[in-house]
Amino acid sequence: MARPSASLHLPGAAAQPINAATPLAGTTKASSVRWRIFAIVFALTMVNLIDRVSLSIAMPTIAHEFSLSPSMQGLILSSFFWAYALLQIPGGWLIDRFGPHRVISWSTGLWGTFQVLAAFATGGLSLLFARVALGAAEAPLFPSGGKLISLWLAPSERSRGAVLMDSGSPLGVALGGLIIAYLIASLDSWRLAFVIAGIATLVLAWLARRYLRDDPATHPQVNAEELEKINAGRATPAAEAARVPVKGLGIAARSLSGLLIGRASWAMVYFGLLTWGPSYLAQARGFDIKGIGAATFVIFVCGALGSLTGGFLCDGLIRKGVSRGVAVKSLLAFSGVVALGAFLLLPTLSNPFAAVALLAMTAFFLMWGSLYWSFPALLAAPARVGLIGGVMNMAGSTGGIAVPILVGIIVQMTGGFAPVLGFFAVCSAVFVLATLFISLDEVRHG
């Protein structure tokens, strides 16, 4: 089957179309554009989470300024996910229809704008509306990343691609906790901290617009050898396969059920820590604003390292002959079991630094859940990868909507965080069971 042509630009020469099947004169090594693509996606997800966590870090200050009750705080923390969840499926459709490059560029610009506008909130209600708008703008990012995994990476590289994308999430929380806490403390203004975060996002929107592409064959810096690597193991190049019409969702019902329940239960734990973690550290462990920032940094840096470890370990196991289904599901199940045990142990620890160390270890293994972003490209038909990524992320977002409200109610009713930790342990158990229900035995899509 003839390979598509890639338009390559050589230094000092006019641009000429080069057929990907013909080695370029003097070129023996594949270019690495695909990894630079995912470096940008990594940066986008990192800043995405800095913008999200900014409210969690600032919430103790904002709650005092606006006189917000715990229930109202939970409502505001949850509000981001209302539009975020509702727009996952439409966003996934737009990604499959118009391509991730265009969708990412527009959504990043919009969410940077809304992050700046949140700085001008005058009370709980206006802040809530700003967070809803931010959630709407951020909705397409992760499904777009899932689509780029399908378009730019061979099946043997997708676990690494998934964690390179998703590890930006905990690192963004870690840096966000440190940076936003520092800015609030040094500038004595949560509003200025929000403005600075929003401007950084707008810069990344420009970079994404300039460098990302939907079809590797059209990127001016991709050479023939890299295109060969990208299309390895495919019957049809990804960009062509993505244009083949498909009826329905293009995924087995059993796997879809496990995917949705597993992602939702994992998100209940992750976003529970993200939204209420700073308040837990302040109220249950006695940390001040700088201590909260430092502890959050340690916890979620460990999460980012865990995410990367899980992805590289998974691809390593597969290269050694372990089946993809066994490798992925074993790592995910193990991470859930570790989280379950940690949440049961945490209430027994009296030392606040020991508690932070245990949370950091929990985050390391919990973030092996980044492997979930390899599932859309593995399970769905190429023309439905964006949509399935959106459906999966909608399930996670539903957990994100529910957990801040539920935790707020639990804290208000019980006056403490021990029951909340028990709730997270239950969610971890559900995550393990649902993940084992996903079937990778009949993966047919490249």
Side-chain angles (χ1 to χ4, degrees):
M1 180 176 180
R3 294 195 176 278
S5 63
S7 180
L8 307 179
H9 295 291
L10 301 178
Q16 300 179 25
I18 305 295
N19 189 281
T22 305
L24 202 58
T27 299
T28 59
K29 184 178 179 181
S31 54
S32 57
V33 173
R34 65 196 187 284
W35 300 119
R36 293 198 289 273
I37 292 285
F38 282 92
I40 292 174
V41 174
F42 168 85
L44 287 168
T45 58
M46 182 176 67
V47 171
N48 180 282
L49 267 293
I50 290 175
D51 289 344
R52 288 196 211 181
V53 80
S54 61
L55 180 63
S56 298
I57 297 297
M59 183 53 78
T61 303
I62 294 172
H64 177 74
E65 180 179 333
F66 292 161
S67 300
L68 302 176
S69 68
S71 295
M72 186 60 182
Q73 292 176 55
L75 195 65
I76 293 171
L77 290 168
S78 168
S79 63
F80 168 92
F81 291 99
W82 302 348
Y84 188 81
L86 286 173
L87 292 179
Q88 287 300 311
I89 293 178
W93 179 85
L94 287 172
I95 293 161
D96 287 331
R97 175 67 177 83
F98 297 106
H101 173 212
R102 189 181 304 178
V103 174
I104 283 178
S105 301
W106 276 100
S107 69
T108 306
L110 285 173
W111 103 58
T113 301
F114 289 127
Q115 176 70 10
V116 172
L117 291 177
F120 297 93
T122 56
L125 191 60
S126 57
L127 184 59
L128 184 148
F129 285 137
R131 292 295 289 184
V132 170
L134 182 69
E138 288 192 9
L141 176 61
F142 281 89
S144 293
K147 185 75 169 184
L148 287 171
I149 290 171
S150 172
L151 294 171
W152 277 88
L153 298 178
S156 61
E157 297 179 330
R158 286 176 183 167
S159 294
R160 280 168 285 170
V163 300
L164 283 171
M165 176 182 79
D166 207 36
S167 63
S169 172
L171 187 59
V173 176
L175 292 176
L178 198 65
I179 293 169
I180 299 298
Y182 174 79
L183 289 174
I184 293 172
S186 60
L187 300 174
D188 194 27
S189 172
W190 61 269
R191 299 177 189 275
L192 288 177
F194 281 22
V195 170
I196 292 170
I199 291 172
T201 301
L202 293 173
V203 172
L204 271 182
W206 173 84
L207 179 62
R209 180 67 180 172
R210 293 272 299 176
Y211 197 78
L212 300 186
R213 298 289 188 278
D214 295 333
D215 186 350
T218 65
H219 199 291
Q221 296 177 15
V222 173
N223 66 10
E225 288 78 11
E226 182 173 21
L227 198 59
E228 185 78 22
K229 285 179 176 290
I230 291 169
N231 290 323
R234 305 178 194 259
T236 307
E240 292 181 22
R243 292 190 286 267
V244 177
V246 175
K247 292 182 179 180
L249 292 176
I251 184 174
R254 170 186 166 175
S255 292
L256 182 61
S257 299
L259 193 69
L260 300 186
I261 297 171
R263 190 63 181 180
S265 54
W266 179 89
M268 295 281 273
V269 179
Y270 179 72
F271 289 116
L273 293 176
L274 175 64
T275 55
W276 277 97
S279 294
Y280 168 74
L281 293 171
Q283 297 173 28
R285 297 298 179 176
F287 287 92
D288 60 15
I289 185 67
K290 290 186 177 179
I292 291 171
T296 301
F297 176 80
V298 170
I299 291 167
F300 285 96
V301 160
C302 287
L305 293 174
S307 176
L308 292 170
T309 300
F312 281 81
L313 180 58
C314 184
D315 278 348
L317 290 173
I318 293 168
R319 285 196 300 272
K320 291 182 180 296
V322 179
S323 74
R324 182 170 294 275
V326 171
V328 174
K329 294 201 293 185
S330 295
L331 293 177
L332 288 170
F334 179 75
S335 73
V337 170
V338 171
L340 188 158
F343 287 124
L344 293 178
L345 179 62
L346 196 57
T348 69
L349 300 180
S350 58
N351 187 302
F353 297 103
V356 170
L358 181 59
L359 283 171
M361 185 272 291
T362 304
F364 180 90
F365 289 103
L366 181 68
M367 282 308 301
W368 288 8
S370 297
L371 290 169
Y372 256 66
W373 279 109
S374 66
F375 283 146
L378 291 169
L379 296 170
R384 290 288 183 268
V385 172
L387 181 59
I388 294 304
V391 171
M392 184 185 83
N393 213 29
M394 182 189 69
S397 303
T398 302
I401 291 172
V403 73
I405 298 173
L406 290 173
V407 171
I409 292 172
I410 292 170
V411 171
Q412 189 161 314
M413 290 180 63
T414 65
F417 280 89
V420 173
L421 298 174
F423 171 71
F424 289 162
V426 172
C427 292
S428 300
V430 174
F431 164 65
V432 172
L433 295 174
T435 298
L436 294 176
F437 199 67
I438 298 171
S439 175
L440 291 176
D441 294 335
E442 297 182 3
V443 173
R444 298 193 180 100
H445 305 298

